[in-house]
mmCIF file of all heavy atoms in Angstrom:
data_model
loop_
_atom_site.group_PDB
_atom_site.id
_atom_site.type_symbol
_atom_site.label_atom_id
_atom_site.label_comp_id
_atom_site.label_asym_id
_atom_site.label_seq_id
_atom_site.Cartn_x
_atom_site.Cartn_y
_atom_site.Cartn_z
ATOM 1 N N ARG K 12 147.754 103.660 93.077
ATOM 2 C CA ARG K 12 148.930 103.832 92.386
ATOM 3 C C ARG K 12 149.763 102.562 92.165
ATOM 4 O O ARG K 12 150.312 102.259 91.194
ATOM 5 C CB ARG K 12 150.005 104.860 92.924
ATOM 6 C CG ARG K 12 149.599 106.342 92.572
ATOM 7 C CD ARG K 12 150.708 107.293 93.023
ATOM 8 N NE ARG K 12 150.969 107.241 94.453
ATOM 9 C CZ ARG K 12 150.271 107.825 95.412
ATOM 10 N NH1 ARG K 12 149.135 108.554 95.119
ATOM 11 N NH2 ARG K 12 150.593 107.767 96.607
ATOM 12 N N SER K 13 149.785 101.819 93.336
ATOM 13 C CA SER K 13 150.342 100.478 93.372
ATOM 14 C C SER K 13 149.659 99.486 92.374
ATOM 15 O O SER K 13 150.378 98.758 91.537
ATOM 16 C CB SER K 13 150.340 99.880 94.751
ATOM 17 O OG SER K 13 150.848 98.583 94.729
ATOM 18 N N GLU K 14 148.385 99.579 92.423
ATOM 19 C CA GLU K 14 147.574 98.646 91.513
ATOM 20 C C GLU K 14 147.885 99.138 90.023
ATOM 21 O O GLU K 14 148.040 98.246 89.131
ATOM 22 C CB GLU K 14 146.115 98.791 91.672
ATOM 23 C CG GLU K 14 145.740 98.093 92.938
ATOM 24 C CD GLU K 14 144.315 98.280 93.299
ATOM 25 O OE1 GLU K 14 143.545 98.775 92.526
ATOM 26 O OE2 GLU K 14 143.967 98.159 94.597
ATOM 27 N N ARG K 15 147.959 100.449 89.728
ATOM 28 C CA ARG K 15 148.223 100.885 88.420
ATOM 29 C C ARG K 15 149.640 100.311 87.978
ATOM 30 O O ARG K 15 149.992 99.980 86.824
ATOM 31 C CB ARG K 15 148.125 102.460 88.236
ATOM 32 C CG ARG K 15 146.798 102.759 88.044
ATOM 33 C CD ARG K 15 146.735 104.278 87.588
ATOM 34 N NE ARG K 15 147.404 105.170 88.609
ATOM 35 C CZ ARG K 15 146.826 105.751 89.605
ATOM 36 N NH1 ARG K 15 145.511 105.634 89.914
ATOM 37 N NH2 ARG K 15 147.552 106.636 90.330
ATOM 38 N N THR K 16 150.596 100.468 88.890
ATOM 39 C CA THR K 16 151.986 100.092 88.607
ATOM 40 C C THR K 16 152.045 98.688 88.310
ATOM 41 O O THR K 16 152.651 98.176 87.436
ATOM 42 C CB THR K 16 152.943 100.496 89.751
ATOM 43 O OG1 THR K 16 152.861 101.869 90.064
ATOM 44 C CG2 THR K 16 154.389 100.028 89.590
ATOM 45 N N ARG K 17 151.403 97.742 89.135
ATOM 46 C CA ARG K 17 151.365 96.379 88.898
ATOM 47 C C ARG K 17 150.767 96.018 87.585
ATOM 48 O O ARG K 17 151.306 95.209 86.886
ATOM 49 C CB ARG K 17 150.560 95.617 90.084
ATOM 50 C CG ARG K 17 151.295 95.672 91.477
ATOM 51 C CD ARG K 17 150.444 95.114 92.563
ATOM 52 N NE ARG K 17 150.073 93.726 92.322
ATOM 53 C CZ ARG K 17 150.857 92.706 92.682
ATOM 54 N NH1 ARG K 17 152.013 92.826 93.296
ATOM 55 N NH2 ARG K 17 150.500 91.440 92.495
ATOM 56 N N ALA K 18 149.736 96.697 87.155
ATOM 57 C CA ALA K 18 149.007 96.448 85.985
ATOM 58 C C ALA K 18 149.952 96.893 84.874
ATOM 59 O O ALA K 18 149.993 96.126 83.836
ATOM 60 C CB ALA K 18 147.743 97.244 85.921
ATOM 61 N N LEU K 19 150.747 97.919 84.882
ATOM 62 C CA LEU K 19 151.626 98.280 83.948
ATOM 63 C C LEU K 19 152.777 97.239 83.656
ATOM 64 O O LEU K 19 153.220 96.837 82.607
ATOM 65 C CB LEU K 19 152.294 99.724 84.263
ATOM 66 C CG LEU K 19 151.627 100.930 83.969
ATOM 67 C CD1 LEU K 19 152.220 102.102 84.531
ATOM 68 C CD2 LEU K 19 151.336 101.064 82.493
ATOM 69 N N ILE K 20 153.173 96.753 84.812
ATOM 70 C CA ILE K 20 154.186 95.703 84.695
ATOM 71 C C ILE K 20 153.702 94.429 84.051
ATOM 72 O O ILE K 20 154.409 93.924 83.296
ATOM 73 C CB ILE K 20 154.809 95.424 86.243
ATOM 74 C CG1 ILE K 20 155.616 96.737 86.791
ATOM 75 C CG2 ILE K 20 155.793 94.212 86.206
ATOM 76 C CD1 ILE K 20 155.873 96.636 88.160
ATOM 77 N N VAL K 21 152.554 93.970 84.517
ATOM 78 C CA VAL K 21 152.029 92.768 84.007
ATOM 79 C C VAL K 21 151.745 93.028 82.437
ATOM 80 O O VAL K 21 152.041 92.149 81.575
ATOM 81 C CB VAL K 21 150.726 92.392 84.691
ATOM 82 C CG1 VAL K 21 149.862 91.303 83.876
ATOM 83 C CG2 VAL K 21 150.953 91.943 86.022
ATOM 84 N N GLN K 22 151.167 94.106 82.101
ATOM 85 C CA GLN K 22 150.978 94.399 80.644
ATOM 86 C C GLN K 22 152.338 94.432 79.868
ATOM 87 O O GLN K 22 152.252 93.968 78.714
ATOM 88 C CB GLN K 22 150.244 95.745 80.395
ATOM 89 C CG GLN K 22 149.793 96.022 79.061
ATOM 90 C CD GLN K 22 148.777 94.872 78.552
ATOM 91 O OE1 GLN K 22 147.755 94.686 79.184
ATOM 92 N NE2 GLN K 22 149.144 94.253 77.412
ATOM 93 N N ALA K 23 153.352 94.911 80.456
ATOM 94 C CA ALA K 23 154.615 95.080 79.745
ATOM 95 C C ALA K 23 155.138 93.530 79.610
ATOM 96 O O ALA K 23 155.669 93.171 78.489
ATOM 97 C CB ALA K 23 155.652 95.851 80.595
ATOM 98 N N HIS K 24 154.973 92.704 80.545
ATOM 99 C CA HIS K 24 155.343 91.252 80.504
ATOM 100 C C HIS K 24 154.513 90.669 79.344
ATOM 101 O O HIS K 24 155.111 90.040 78.466
ATOM 102 C CB HIS K 24 155.128 90.557 81.789
ATOM 103 C CG HIS K 24 155.586 89.222 81.893
ATOM 104 N ND1 HIS K 24 155.223 88.358 82.799
ATOM 105 C CD2 HIS K 24 156.590 88.641 81.161
ATOM 106 C CE1 HIS K 24 155.989 87.130 82.656
ATOM 107 N NE2 HIS K 24 156.756 87.343 81.682
ATOM 108 N N THR K 36 163.583 89.357 80.646
ATOM 109 C CA THR K 36 164.249 89.716 81.842
ATOM 110 C C THR K 36 163.537 90.759 82.652
ATOM 111 O O THR K 36 162.758 91.593 82.143
ATOM 112 C CB THR K 36 165.714 90.093 81.606
ATOM 113 O OG1 THR K 36 165.564 91.330 80.905
ATOM 114 C CG2 THR K 36 166.504 89.074 80.707
ATOM 115 N N ALA K 37 163.923 90.875 83.936
ATOM 116 C CA ALA K 37 163.474 91.944 84.823
ATOM 117 C C ALA K 37 163.758 93.314 84.130
ATOM 118 O O ALA K 37 162.905 94.204 84.231
ATOM 119 C CB ALA K 37 164.090 91.781 86.215
ATOM 120 N N ALA K 38 164.923 93.318 83.644
ATOM 121 C CA ALA K 38 165.448 94.575 82.998
ATOM 122 C C ALA K 38 164.444 95.070 81.819
ATOM 123 O O ALA K 38 163.951 96.141 81.644
ATOM 124 C CB ALA K 38 166.704 94.551 82.451
ATOM 125 N N GLN K 39 164.133 93.946 80.943
ATOM 126 C CA GLN K 39 163.275 94.347 79.804
ATOM 127 C C GLN K 39 161.894 94.590 80.279
ATOM 128 O O GLN K 39 161.170 95.587 79.665
ATOM 129 C CB GLN K 39 163.185 93.091 78.918
ATOM 130 C CG GLN K 39 164.555 92.688 78.149
ATOM 131 C CD GLN K 39 164.477 91.323 77.426
ATOM 132 O OE1 GLN K 39 164.215 90.335 78.125
ATOM 133 N NE2 GLN K 39 164.721 91.399 76.175
ATOM 134 N N ILE K 40 161.348 93.929 81.126
ATOM 135 C CA ILE K 40 159.957 94.135 81.720
ATOM 136 C C ILE K 40 159.845 95.606 82.321
ATOM 137 O O ILE K 40 158.872 96.355 82.086
ATOM 138 C CB ILE K 40 159.444 93.063 82.686
ATOM 139 C CG1 ILE K 40 159.451 91.702 81.926
ATOM 140 C CG2 ILE K 40 158.183 93.389 83.164
ATOM 141 C CD1 ILE K 40 159.366 90.551 82.881
ATOM 142 N N SER K 41 160.771 95.805 83.256
ATOM 143 C CA SER K 41 160.750 97.112 83.913
ATOM 144 C C SER K 41 160.939 98.299 82.954
ATOM 145 O O SER K 41 160.247 99.313 83.018
ATOM 146 C CB SER K 41 161.670 97.132 85.102
ATOM 147 O OG SER K 41 163.098 97.039 84.593
ATOM 148 N N GLU K 42 161.806 98.160 81.920
ATOM 149 C CA GLU K 42 161.997 99.219 80.949
ATOM 150 C C GLU K 42 160.743 99.395 80.141
ATOM 151 O O GLU K 42 160.394 100.539 79.992
ATOM 152 C CB GLU K 42 163.175 98.774 80.095
ATOM 153 C CG GLU K 42 163.474 99.949 78.915
ATOM 154 C CD GLU K 42 164.581 99.520 77.969
ATOM 155 O OE1 GLU K 42 165.472 98.689 78.384
ATOM 156 O OE2 GLU K 42 164.611 100.009 76.859
ATOM 157 N N ARG K 43 160.097 98.259 79.644
ATOM 158 C CA ARG K 43 158.841 98.424 78.957
ATOM 159 C C ARG K 43 157.775 99.124 79.729
ATOM 160 O O ARG K 43 156.978 99.765 79.170
ATOM 161 C CB ARG K 43 158.447 97.009 78.400
ATOM 162 C CG ARG K 43 157.099 96.933 77.781
ATOM 163 C CD ARG K 43 157.128 97.775 76.461
ATOM 164 N NE ARG K 43 158.056 97.263 75.314
ATOM 165 C CZ ARG K 43 157.692 96.306 74.558
ATOM 166 N NH1 ARG K 43 156.550 95.823 74.342
ATOM 167 N NH2 ARG K 43 158.666 95.979 73.740
ATOM 168 N N ALA K 44 157.641 98.733 81.085
ATOM 169 C CA ALA K 44 156.715 99.210 82.022
ATOM 170 C C ALA K 44 156.901 100.676 82.369
ATOM 171 O O ALA K 44 156.065 101.425 82.895
ATOM 172 C CB ALA K 44 156.496 98.420 83.201
ATOM 173 N N GLY K 45 158.202 101.108 82.145
ATOM 174 C CA GLY K 45 158.537 102.498 82.493
ATOM 175 C C GLY K 45 158.712 102.649 84.071
ATOM 176 O O GLY K 45 158.551 103.675 84.532
ATOM 177 N N VAL K 46 159.318 101.615 84.651
ATOM 178 C CA VAL K 46 159.515 101.550 86.017
ATOM 179 C C VAL K 46 160.922 101.081 86.272
ATOM 180 O O VAL K 46 161.575 100.360 85.417
ATOM 181 C CB VAL K 46 158.538 100.831 86.916
ATOM 182 C CG1 VAL K 46 157.115 101.336 86.609
ATOM 183 C CG2 VAL K 46 158.605 99.348 86.517
ATOM 184 N N SER K 47 161.452 101.287 87.457
ATOM 185 C CA SER K 47 162.746 100.753 87.830
ATOM 186 C C SER K 47 162.690 99.194 88.276
ATOM 187 O O SER K 47 161.543 98.824 88.469
ATOM 188 C CB SER K 47 163.411 101.519 89.011
ATOM 189 O OG SER K 47 162.672 101.130 90.129
ATOM 190 N N ARG K 48 163.792 98.624 88.182
ATOM 191 C CA ARG K 48 163.748 97.093 88.549
ATOM 192 C C ARG K 48 163.409 96.978 90.074
ATOM 193 O O ARG K 48 162.695 96.186 90.443
ATOM 194 C CB ARG K 48 165.053 96.465 88.258
ATOM 195 C CG ARG K 48 165.195 96.005 86.962
ATOM 196 C CD ARG K 48 166.375 95.142 86.609
ATOM 197 N NE ARG K 48 167.455 96.074 86.249
ATOM 198 C CZ ARG K 48 168.728 95.765 86.037
ATOM 199 N NH1 ARG K 48 169.042 94.534 86.200
ATOM 200 N NH2 ARG K 48 169.550 96.617 85.617
ATOM 201 N N ARG K 49 163.884 98.027 90.653
ATOM 202 C CA ARG K 49 163.489 98.075 92.242
ATOM 203 C C ARG K 49 162.032 98.124 92.424
ATOM 204 O O ARG K 49 161.377 97.380 93.227
ATOM 205 C CB ARG K 49 164.134 99.173 92.897
ATOM 206 C CG ARG K 49 163.786 99.236 94.357
ATOM 207 C CD ARG K 49 164.583 100.352 95.142
ATOM 208 N NE ARG K 49 164.158 100.464 96.473
ATOM 209 C CZ ARG K 49 164.715 101.161 97.320
ATOM 210 N NH1 ARG K 49 165.736 101.948 97.043
ATOM 211 N NH2 ARG K 49 164.218 101.173 98.546
ATOM 212 N N THR K 50 161.264 98.920 91.662
ATOM 213 C CA THR K 50 159.850 99.043 91.680
ATOM 214 C C THR K 50 159.121 97.754 91.275
ATOM 215 O O THR K 50 158.237 97.357 91.885
ATOM 216 C CB THR K 50 159.401 100.200 90.790
ATOM 217 O OG1 THR K 50 159.942 101.385 91.265
ATOM 218 C CG2 THR K 50 157.878 100.263 90.705
ATOM 219 N N LEU K 51 159.735 97.099 90.223
ATOM 220 C CA LEU K 51 159.262 95.804 89.716
ATOM 221 C C LEU K 51 159.131 94.680 90.929
ATOM 222 O O LEU K 51 158.185 94.129 91.253
ATOM 223 C CB LEU K 51 159.883 95.310 88.623
ATOM 224 C CG LEU K 51 159.486 94.002 87.911
ATOM 225 C CD1 LEU K 51 159.923 93.944 86.513
ATOM 226 C CD2 LEU K 51 159.989 92.787 88.606
ATOM 227 N N TRP K 52 160.460 94.626 91.538
ATOM 228 C CA TRP K 52 160.553 93.637 92.760
ATOM 229 C C TRP K 52 159.796 94.168 93.976
ATOM 230 O O TRP K 52 159.423 93.244 94.731
ATOM 231 C CB TRP K 52 162.031 93.398 92.973
ATOM 232 C CG TRP K 52 162.596 92.691 91.616
ATOM 233 C CD1 TRP K 52 163.723 93.069 91.052
ATOM 234 C CD2 TRP K 52 162.119 91.599 90.989
ATOM 235 N NE1 TRP K 52 163.979 92.356 90.103
ATOM 236 C CE2 TRP K 52 162.959 91.417 89.864
ATOM 237 C CE3 TRP K 52 161.093 90.834 91.095
ATOM 238 C CZ2 TRP K 52 162.768 90.391 88.942
ATOM 239 C CZ3 TRP K 52 160.742 89.830 90.127
ATOM 240 C CH2 TRP K 52 161.624 89.547 89.127
ATOM 241 N N THR K 53 159.626 95.346 94.188
ATOM 242 C CA THR K 53 158.992 95.866 95.428
ATOM 243 C C THR K 53 157.464 95.468 95.276
ATOM 244 O O THR K 53 156.718 95.054 96.145
ATOM 245 C CB THR K 53 158.855 97.420 95.406
ATOM 246 O OG1 THR K 53 160.438 97.749 95.645
ATOM 247 C CG2 THR K 53 158.087 97.964 96.557
ATOM 248 N N ASN K 54 157.034 95.480 93.950
ATOM 249 C CA ASN K 54 155.502 95.149 93.720
ATOM 250 C C ASN K 54 155.355 93.616 93.584
ATOM 251 O O ASN K 54 154.295 93.027 93.906
ATOM 252 C CB ASN K 54 155.088 95.882 92.420
ATOM 253 C CG ASN K 54 154.742 97.233 92.688
ATOM 254 O OD1 ASN K 54 153.540 97.523 93.066
ATOM 255 N ND2 ASN K 54 155.596 98.165 92.411
ATOM 256 N N PHE K 55 156.348 92.832 93.080
ATOM 257 C CA PHE K 55 156.159 91.494 92.981
ATOM 258 C C PHE K 55 157.057 90.610 93.697
ATOM 259 O O PHE K 55 156.807 89.274 93.819
ATOM 260 C CB PHE K 55 156.281 91.191 91.401
ATOM 261 C CG PHE K 55 155.163 91.578 90.712
ATOM 262 C CD1 PHE K 55 155.173 92.826 89.873
ATOM 263 C CD2 PHE K 55 153.911 91.025 90.642
ATOM 264 C CE1 PHE K 55 154.070 93.315 89.285
ATOM 265 C CE2 PHE K 55 152.810 91.578 89.922
ATOM 266 C CZ PHE K 55 152.916 92.665 89.249
ATOM 267 N N LEU K 61 155.270 87.396 89.974
ATOM 268 C CA LEU K 61 155.070 88.012 88.672
ATOM 269 C C LEU K 61 154.428 87.277 87.700
ATOM 270 O O LEU K 61 153.355 87.614 87.052
ATOM 271 C CB LEU K 61 156.273 88.666 88.045
ATOM 272 C CG LEU K 61 156.197 89.333 86.603
ATOM 273 C CD1 LEU K 61 155.134 90.424 86.667
ATOM 274 C CD2 LEU K 61 157.565 89.856 86.238
#
Side-chain angles (χ1 to χ4, degrees):
R12 278 191 304 279
S13 177
E14 287 172 17
R15 278 194 305 270
T16 300
R17 288 174 64 85
L19 282 171
I20 293 167
V21 167
Q22 189 60 56
H24 190 199
T36 65
Q39 290 171 307
I40 296 167
S41 57
E42 181 181 337
R43 176 63 63 93
V46 300
S47 68
R48 275 187 273 176
R49 180 178 175 169
T50 298
L51 186 152
W52 297 129
T53 299
N54 279 275
F55 289 101
L61 173 58

